[in-house]
Amino acid sequence: MTFEELGLKSGVLKSLKTLGFETPTPIQQEAIPHLLKEESDFVGLAQTGTGKTAAFGLPLVSKVEEGRKRPQGLVICPTRELCLQISKDIQNFSKDVDVNTVAVYGGTDIVRQIKEIKRGAQIIVATPGRLVDLTKRKAIVLREIDWVVLDEADEMLNMGFKEDIDHILDETPLERNVWLFSATMPKEVAQIAKNYMEQPLEVSIGHKNQTNENIEHIYFTVSDRDRYSAVKRLIDFNPNIYGLIFCRTRRETAAVAEKLGKEGYSAEPLHGDLSQAQRDQVMRRFRNKDIQILVATDVAARGIDVDDITHVINYNLPDEIENYTHRSGRTARAGKHGESLVLVTPRESYKIKAIEKKIRTEFTKGLIPNAKEICEIQLMKLVDNVITTPVKEDDIAEFLPIAMAEFEGFTKEEIIKKFVSAEFNRFIEYYERAGDLNAKDSGRRDRDRGDRGDRRGNRNDENKTRFFVNLGKRDGLNPGGLLRVICDSTGLRSNSIGRIDIMASFSFFEADNENVDRILSKVNGSEYEGNQVSIEVTKSKNVKKKRGGSGSRPRGGGGGNHRGGGGGKFKGKRERRAPRRRN
Ligand code: AMP
């Protein structure tokens, strides 16, 4: 299905070309034709990241009267962050039509917002509290509103906006239509639908309370005192992480961010004790990828809609299960893959089961990576950085002879060893004494799960073999491409391939041991975009096998597109050194 077939205004279609939207997402396919044609109420159950803003934004821009510069469409959303995001999206959709959108939200100058509304706008995007303020001041008239969109309705109710929403809906005319979007359908949301809508069309992308299928949920059992060390290992194991760590309290958030910052990680806190200006600044830097890791409370992180987040780390579980859906939904947006990692103590591990039931998705049991695995990944990252760093011939020309003279007499191998050691020794030293952080699940959970959890854990360890591939990013290889090569030549299904790491000039992947011979014989000699593919079993895996090594990695999603090397992804990132402190 194309956007042209959905019946949108030509000016709106033009803006989609500029935005590069080619095919409507499932929620857009379901919602747009209905919202354009029917004067009816609507309930869309969809996660953030599914394209729901365009699902309501495009019909709204198509429907409002261009000549009538009075509020006709109202979008209500839980946070200032989301409010700005939605208004920006709607402004992008209306570049080629005469439709004005104004965003109104708390924490900034109300007088300026009143002036903007007075200048004339067909669409208002608002947070509930500020909108109520404006209606009380009679700065905004809601009696000509034809469409009210309630976005992230469950979030708004979680945040205690029920009264404000009731007030706003009561101010709008009875004939208006309500379009409600929500990730989950708790009874409070159902109540709004019951009170304010008449036989709404209900569209559900996935089933109710389900989380995005592109998210892999992995839990790790650690003792309480090892939470912080475990988080550090997870970060070290994923050097290209662009992630969100959720903590339960402001204090914990501040403490974790501070500790990470002190140890050289690119991490900042986001919580309610910061001023609005500080929060805006942190968010701006996170969006720009000047910050690699944001440590946040649930409340502060509400409405964070940042694409490309690769990992959500639950430092501990939220008190409310509903909040887990919101946390994990911050990753795997716009069709990408993401991982939601959860740290639980043995006593808490039963809670995983409750979440699995709620989100109807199984967790994988992961093991906190051991020192050797982390060192291997970090070393690869270092090598990758060195290989991909451009050489500025002119700038270094005058210094080069001195360096060359110093290195005279060293062989190539010796020089490589020295460079690697200079950069890497601290890491190796730190991890030398690092023990196993994995704690045993409680007996109850083991019983509850049968042996599913354990088998999965072991499978990741002993039943997988890691392969080296001679091609990398520079050869145009990406996780999908590598999967295609392996599956096409062997006839294996993609789910028998595990973690994939694409570096600049080489790559790695994991596969089930039983397929090693088949993979070696079939993949070797095949072609990828004109290049001969050559693979071999990595040495480190052999070593590990001999030792009967224990540390299994968190299982990879088999080609998440966030993986892969390439330094410089995070612009303002300080070059991170090995953590200084010992465990
Ligand atoms: P949303 O769920 O509205 O926050 O959208 C998630 C992301 O998907 C945003 O970055 C949108 O710009 C993008 N997006 C939405 N619809 C489409 C589409 N049909 N094609 C490509 N990207 C889209």
Side-chain angles (χ1 to χ4, degrees), residues 418-481:
K418 285 203 170 291
F419 267 107
V420 167
S421 303
E423 282 291 318
F424 200 55
N425 274 1
R426 224 163 348 144
F427 229 102
I428 293 174
E429 280 162 22
Y430 172 77
Y431 273 113
E432 228 166 35
R433 291 174 189 78
D436 183 6
L437 296 187
N438 296 289
K440 278 217 160 58
D441 275 341
S442 72
R444 180 171 160 208
R445 175 156 175 81
D446 287 343
R447 260 202 323 276
D448 283 352
R449 294 180 74 94
D451 62 357
R452 172 166 66 78
D454 287 337
R455 212 174 42 224
R456 277 184 171 220
N458 289 340
R459 213 181 85 119
N460 296 336
D461 185 18
E462 284 162 3
N463 293 354
K464 290 256 186 230
T465 296
R466 190 162 163 87
F467 292 84
F468 168 88
V469 187
N470 66 324
L471 303 178
K473 222 186 229 174
R474 285 221 211 127
D475 309 293
L477 192 67
N478 52 38

Side-chain angles (χ1 to χ4, degrees), residues 217-457:
H217 302 267
I218 306 168
Y219 79 95
F220 302 86
T221 314
V222 295
S223 72
D224 204 31
R225 65 168 188 279
D226 287 333
R227 272 187 211 277
Y228 178 72
S229 306
V231 161
K232 273 194 344 191
R233 287 204 195 177
L234 293 174
I235 299 172
D236 288 340
F237 191 69
N238 293 283
N240 288 324
I241 187 172
Y242 178 43
L244 256 175
I245 300 178
F246 279 99
C247 296
R248 248 195 314 233
T249 63
R250 295 171 188 193
R251 247 172 92 176
E252 191 174 57
T253 304
V256 170
E258 193 186 333
K259 259 172 134 179
L260 287 173
K262 274 192 183 146
E263 298 196 79
Y265 295 82
S266 168
E268 294 280 346
L270 186 76
H271 54 74
D273 288 343
L274 302 177
S275 69
Q276 187 61 54
Q278 285 171 316
R279 294 212 311 243
D280 287 348
Q281 199 203 20
V282 170
M283 273 316 298
R284 207 168 32 246
R285 295 184 55 220
F286 185 57
R287 268 186 201 293
N288 288 341
K289 298 192 174 162
D290 293 334
I291 299 173
Q292 195 174 0
I293 296 156
L294 198 61
V295 190
T297 56
D298 287 291
V299 174
R302 273 180 181 147
I304 292 183
D305 285 326
V306 178
D307 286 350
D308 302 332
I309 289 181
T310 59
H311 293 78
V312 166
I313 300 181
N314 294 265
Y315 195 73
N316 32 40
L317 280 171
D319 293 326
E320 303 283 327
I321 293 183
E322 294 282 342
N323 272 343
Y324 178 76
T325 314
H326 294 299
R327 286 179 173 191
S328 57
R330 304 292 158 208
T331 185
R333 291 169 52 79
K336 291 174 190 151
H337 287 266
E339 289 178 8
S340 176
L341 313 181
V342 181
L343 296 177
V344 286
T345 61
R347 287 167 68 110
E348 290 169 331
S349 55
Y350 72 95
K351 291 186 183 169
I352 296 292
K353 207 161 182 215
I355 297 178
E356 284 179 331
K357 211 166 142 202
K358 185 88 183 170
I359 65 174
R360 299 192 208 178
T361 307
E362 276 188 12
F363 274 70
T364 302
K365 177 169 170 48
L367 292 177
I368 297 293
N370 64 23
K372 185 173 166 25
E373 290 168 313
I374 292 173
C375 287
E376 184 183 314
I377 288 274
Q378 289 288 339
L379 181 61
M380 283 309 138
K381 163 97 174 160
L382 170 66
V383 171
D384 198 53
N385 278 351
V386 171
I387 290 175
T388 49
T389 300
V391 175
K392 297 186 173 167
E393 299 275 1
D394 294 346
D395 296 343
I396 60 170
E398 68 174 297
F399 309 107
L400 220 47
I402 312 167
M404 289 294 187
E406 289 291 321
F407 283 116
E408 222 175 62
F410 287 101
T411 64
K412 177 181 152 194
E413 280 72 25
E414 283 167 342
I415 294 174
I416 292 176
K417 273 187 207 163
K418 285 203 170 291
F419 267 107
V420 167
S421 303
E423 282 291 318
F424 200 55
N425 274 1
R426 224 163 348 144
F427 229 102
I428 293 174
E429 280 162 22
Y430 172 77
Y431 273 113
E432 228 166 35
R433 291 174 189 78
D436 183 6
L437 296 187
N438 296 289
K440 278 217 160 58
D441 275 341
S442 72
R444 180 171 160 208
R445 175 156 175 81
D446 287 343
R447 260 202 323 276
D448 283 352
R449 294 180 74 94
D451 62 357
R452 172 166 66 78
D454 287 337
R455 212 174 42 224
R456 277 184 171 220

Side-chain angles (χ1 to χ4, degrees), residues 3 20-25 28 47-54 89 307 333-334:
F3 277 110
F21 286 18
E22 284 169 8
T23 320
T25 65
Q28 291 161 5
Q47 294 285 321
T48 168
T50 52
K52 66 185 166 62
T53 314
D89 284 352
D307 286 350
R333 291 169 52 79

